[in-house]
Amino acid sequence: TGVRPYEMMRVRHKHIRMIDDKDDEKKHLEMYVIGKIRDRTIISKYGAFFSYRGICKNICPNPKGEDLLFPTNPYTGLLSLIEDAELRYSINGDKRDSKSLRHFYIMTELQRGTPIEYLTQQCDVSYAVIRDHYARHLQPKMFREQLIKVSHIEDP
């Protein structure tokens, strides 16, 4: 979702709305998030719908509206998983942690061509931060498929 890790710690079950479409690929969550700059409703990716359904079924079968989605900080568990999978450091030596998921989300959305205006709302981040912190890492090879795609060829 691009939400900051500490913002997810404030999400309660009453803040989550499951959008159950007939088309599985359109299933998603709408979540109300208390943000750093502003509170907002965000839209999840497809997989979050099924993850949340699994949490409700297997971990918290009868959640009450005021119950926190993550009653304990998942940071240490995620960190252990990253270390056990030997993914704590990137090929460049950069540390990975829960914030890395937010950065990955923003970079992936930029590569997909999501307008920056949408990301500023979804991730509660300014246009300048996206431009100066994230977009400067983009390289032409990240857009290879879009750049080589033939949109129209005239038949002579």
Side-chain angles (χ1 to χ4, degrees):
T1 61
V3 174
R4 293 174 184 89
Y6 65 84
E7 291 174 338
M8 282 305 295
M9 294 294 299
R10 295 190 286 238
V11 173
R12 298 181 183 281
H13 286 277
K14 70 179 182 180
H15 296 146
I16 301 170
R17 184 170 157 232
M18 296 178 75
I19 308 301
D20 193 358
D21 196 274
K22 289 179 184 176
D23 179 354
D24 277 355
E25 292 184 16
K26 292 184 180 177
K27 294 179 180 192
H28 63 280
L29 302 176
E30 289 182 5
M31 297 174 24
Y32 179 75
V33 176
I34 299 168
K36 177 180 177 181
I37 301 169
R38 64 186 160 272
D39 300 346
R40 64 205 186 277
T41 298
I42 58 107
I43 306 299
S44 77
K45 295 278 186 202
Y46 151 89
F49 177 92
F50 299 99
S51 296
Y52 180 66
R53 187 168 67 185
I55 286 171
C56 291
K57 180 180 177 185
N58 301 313
I59 298 172
C60 186
N62 296 308
K64 293 175 180 51
E66 288 298 321
D67 290 349
L68 290 167
L69 177 59
F70 297 109
T72 59
N73 190 338
Y75 177 79
T76 53
L78 179 63
L79 190 57
S80 293
L81 284 173
I82 291 170
E83 288 172 346
D84 290 349
E86 298 180 4
L87 296 172
R88 178 66 167 139
Y89 295 94
S90 74
I91 198 166
N92 299 326
D94 300 321
K95 280 187 179 180
R96 292 187 178 121
D97 57 19
S98 58
K99 277 183 68 175
S100 302
L101 298 174
R102 174 179 166 84
H103 298 298
F104 178 77
Y105 176 87
I106 293 171
M107 289 297 295
T108 303
E109 288 303 306
L110 285 171
Q111 286 178 273
R112 288 182 55 206
T114 300
I116 291 177
E117 295 77 24
Y118 296 175
L119 290 174
T120 62
Q121 295 298 313
Q122 175 82 354
C123 300
D124 195 27
V125 64
S126 73
Y127 184 90
V129 168
I130 290 180
R131 181 193 65 225
D132 298 341
H133 183 69
Y134 295 100
R136 67 185 173 95
H137 296 289
L138 297 176
Q139 301 170 15
K141 67 181 180 181
M142 294 176 173
F143 303 99
R144 182 185 323 272
E145 293 304 314
Q146 293 92 325
L147 292 171
I148 64 174
K149 185 177 181 181
V150 176
S151 59
H152 179 69
I153 297 177
E154 290 185 24
D155 192 12

